[in-house]
Amino acid sequence: MNSQKRLELQKDIGGWIEQYGGGRSAILSVLEELIKKYKKIDGFALQDIAFKLDIHPSEVYGTSTFYSFLDGREERGKHTIRLCKTISCHMKEKERIAKQLENELGIKFGETTKDKNFTLEYCNCLGMCDQGPALLIDDVLIPKVKSHDIPELIDNCMRGELRELYRDTVVSTVAQEGPLLLENYQPGKIVEKALMMRPQDILEEIEEAGLRGRGGAGFPTGFKWRLAMEEKGDLKYVVCNADEGEPGTFKDRYLLHKHFSRVIEGMCVAAYVIGASKGYIYLRGEYSYLKEKLEKTISQWKEQGLLGEKILGKKDFNFDIEVRMGAGAYICGEETALIESMEGNRGEPRNKPPFPVDTGFLGDPTIVNNVETFLWASLICEKGVDFFQQYGTSKSKGTKFFSISGDCNREGIYELPFGITIDKIVELSEGIDTKAVQVGGAAGECIPKKDFHKTIAFEAVPTGGSIILFNKDRDLLDVAENFMEFFVEESCGQCTPCREGSVKILQGVKLLKKGRCSMSHLEKLLELTETIELASKCGLGQLSVKAFKSIVENFKEEVLGRLPEEG
Ligand SMILES: Cc1cc2nc3c(=O)[nH]c(=O)nc-3n(C[C@H](O)[C@H](O)[C@H](O)COP(=O)(O)O)c2cc1C
Ligand code: SF4
């Protein structure tokens, strides 16, 4: 690198660090800018960032290589084309699109064209399961790709017109509306109402309503907020988890696009209750097309005095919201990994305790809630406990947003009450010869037809919203393989059972598929699943084998029929 280029690089890095806040938290954004402009991250860049932030270059390298969108070890093409290979896209002719891309560009996946115009990669779930097969070209999401579209897409890319042409192509089908979506609502009114109440009274309503987090684990929202409220300290944070990486989930994409004001409202209510003055939306990198829109809405709220200093004239209530971007790492949906990521580190889950409610972002009390949880909190504040409690079961109150995809005629977003049976979901979505339903994404359970009478609820079959239908011709070992590949790639690598165990299970599933796994090997694999569940530090490892186990357990004939004959 000549000295002029070196100076330009140093100037760029200095400028970006300043633009993104000046501290270590800026790293992800700086790396993103670097890749955008320079197409790679070399030793000079690592040193320059490290020098400016007073950290070791290996830390910058560690962060960069952790995130699939920020890995700049190899020089990238001018454009990066990523094809989603996770289950719903995998079932929708992903292979044909892959072949067409390879033919058209004259390269294989993982390669860059000689003219350095294109890099071709696979990626994990883009959150477009209802609109697959899907591509992410640079930061533009392309839904429902057909193989004959590929030449034109490449041309548009070369002409620099892709973003403009595909500006509004991500559409969400709302197949079933429920009380939340049907409710008329005027932005700002909920904050206004909340500020006339005491924080303690709002908290009691949230607790009495029995709201449980919609991100998957169903943790009582009121209890989380109470713990944070009781913490001392001037600095507290409210974080909206918009990382939505679970295969088969795309409801937050829709909620952010169409009901973002309600999310802000819920975040403001939470901030008022716990005494926070700063909020963040951690938005997955795959949804960067939403960033501008979210920031615009936040600005409008600020202009109207609904965010910022002394909200609606209340002298001791200041609250501001900022959008922070993820960069292609599923594990960053785990709340402590998310916080690490926001701090500019590798997204590695922390040991718990301490929990984020006392030691969260930058060591201060932090609540992390799912997008949908904030929506519900706002509705409870607006309409009261009874309205919310009309729906659901005794332990899972309210309705839930489901993302339904796979072999059915009506893929889309459904707002349905907890307690609904899987049978009913198959009926509503017009499942086609459904033999199995995957509830809860790759980390969930594969339910056979005989159990379709089971209900969806935290106390029954839980889910953060992902429902994928499989028809009678689907090979469920193919499904298990797809999920295990996902976990092998997405494990953060901190603990051995998760990092190494998932590889062993994947190898076993491949053998099973080929009819080369003996009964004794299958038994060993099942033993290993127990170790992985017990000894993994976070939910990713603990749940990574659930789908495989449920497929072996619930579809014995299909699986055992593939074992070689003994003797
Ligand atoms: C591997 C992994 C990925 C996760 N991804 C998400 C996610 O994308 N969105 C989400 O809200 N919660 C996700 N969670 C759960 C979060 O850790 C956390 O429980 C949640 O954000 C809390 O919000 P809630 O109480 O409103 O559900 C994930 C957990 C794990 C273990
Ligand atoms: S279980 Fe897996 S993802 Fe979670 S901390 Fe351990 S290695 Fe990382």
Side-chain angles (χ1 to χ4, degrees), residues 297-514:
T297 310
I298 291 170
S299 296
Q300 285 163 352
W301 274 60
K302 277 188 198 160
E303 280 159 24
Q304 290 165 29
L306 291 160
L307 280 175
E309 303 274 302
K310 299 190 185 113
I311 293 178
L312 293 174
K314 189 130 184 139
K315 71 172 184 331
D316 49 358
F317 183 47
N318 309 319
F319 184 60
D320 199 0
I321 297 178
E322 196 182 306
V323 181
R324 285 285 175 92
M325 296 307 297
Y330 163 73
I331 187 60
C332 290
E334 196 280 339
E335 58 185 3
T336 59
L338 182 153
I339 290 170
E340 284 290 318
S341 179
M342 279 180 36
E343 291 180 2
N345 304 322
R346 294 163 70 85
E348 290 174 348
R350 296 174 176 174
N351 288 324
K352 292 193 249 184
F355 293 94
V357 282
D358 56 79
T359 312
F361 183 52
L362 303 174
D364 290 312
T366 303
I367 54 161
V368 181
N369 278 118
N370 178 250
V371 173
E372 188 186 338
T373 310
F374 286 117
L375 246 83
W376 278 114
S378 81
L379 196 79
I380 292 166
C381 189
E382 181 190 9
K383 307 284 291 181
V385 173
D386 291 345
F387 179 86
F388 180 69
Q389 290 203 330
Q390 289 171 68
Y391 309 93
T393 69
S394 60
K395 292 188 175 141
S396 308
K397 296 283 180 205
T399 60
K400 168 92 194 80
F401 285 89
F402 293 92
S403 317
I404 302 185
S405 67
D407 297 315
C408 61
N409 289 321
R410 298 182 70 225
E411 290 180 300
I413 288 146
Y414 290 68
E415 187 190 347
L416 300 167
F418 275 118
I420 190 160
T421 62
I422 296 166
D423 247 332
K424 189 71 191 166
I425 286 184
V426 173
E427 184 197 319
L428 287 171
S429 58
E430 297 179 9
I432 304 162
D433 290 330
T434 314
K435 83 164 166 189
V437 176
Q438 181 73 20
V439 182
E445 193 179 344
C446 195
I447 310 282
K449 199 167 186 162
K450 71 173 177 50
D451 290 338
F452 283 4
H453 60 278
K454 287 188 175 171
T455 55
I456 308 280
F458 294 116
E459 67 278 20
V461 186
T463 176
S466 169
I467 305 273
I468 307 169
L469 283 73
F470 301 120
N471 73 27
K472 64 177 180 23
D473 299 321
R474 294 287 174 199
D475 177 354
L476 293 180
L477 285 176
D478 191 40
V479 173
E481 180 183 38
N482 189 280
F483 287 158
M484 286 317 302
E485 272 173 1
F486 174 81
F487 287 118
V488 166
E489 285 168 21
E490 298 294 343
S491 164
C492 84
Q494 270 190 96
C495 28
T496 313
C498 170
R499 186 187 64 240
E500 305 296 331
S502 54
V503 174
K504 294 278 173 230
I505 303 288
L506 174 61
Q507 287 166 349
V509 174
K510 283 183 190 288
L511 286 178
L512 264 171
K513 253 183 89 178
K514 288 187 197 146

Side-chain angles (χ1 to χ4, degrees), residues 225-332:
W225 291 14
R226 179 174 291 283
L227 293 171
M229 179 197 221
E230 286 169 355
E231 284 296 320
K232 304 250 175 319
D234 293 338
L235 279 176
K236 292 185 187 177
Y237 300 98
V238 170
V239 177
C240 173
N241 188 341
D243 199 49
E244 187 158 71
E246 190 61 54
T249 319
F250 46 90
K251 49 119 191 155
D252 292 342
R253 182 195 79 208
Y254 161 73
L255 294 174
L256 289 167
H257 184 57
K258 287 282 178 199
H259 300 275
F260 183 52
S261 287
R262 261 203 190 277
V263 179
I264 303 183
E265 211 104 43
M267 289 179 75
C268 284
V269 170
Y272 182 59
V273 168
I274 71 163
S277 54
K278 182 82 194 187
Y280 291 96
I281 292 164
Y282 186 89
L283 181 67
R284 67 187 311 227
E286 292 81 348
Y287 292 172
S288 60
Y289 77 102
L290 286 173
K291 184 171 184 251
E292 203 183 306
K293 182 180 160 24
L294 303 189
E295 286 180 336
K296 202 168 151 199
T297 310
I298 291 170
S299 296
Q300 285 163 352
W301 274 60
K302 277 188 198 160
E303 280 159 24
Q304 290 165 29
L306 291 160
L307 280 175
E309 303 274 302
K310 299 190 185 113
I311 293 178
L312 293 174
K314 189 130 184 139
K315 71 172 184 331
D316 49 358
F317 183 47
N318 309 319
F319 184 60
D320 199 0
I321 297 178
E322 196 182 306
V323 181
R324 285 285 175 92
M325 296 307 297
Y330 163 73
I331 187 60
C332 290

Side-chain angles (χ1 to χ4, degrees), residues 47 104 162 181 212 263 310 335 480 513:
Q47 279 172 27
E104 206 61 42
L162 202 72
L181 292 184
R212 295 176 67 172
V263 179
K310 299 190 185 113
E335 58 185 3
K513 253 183 89 178

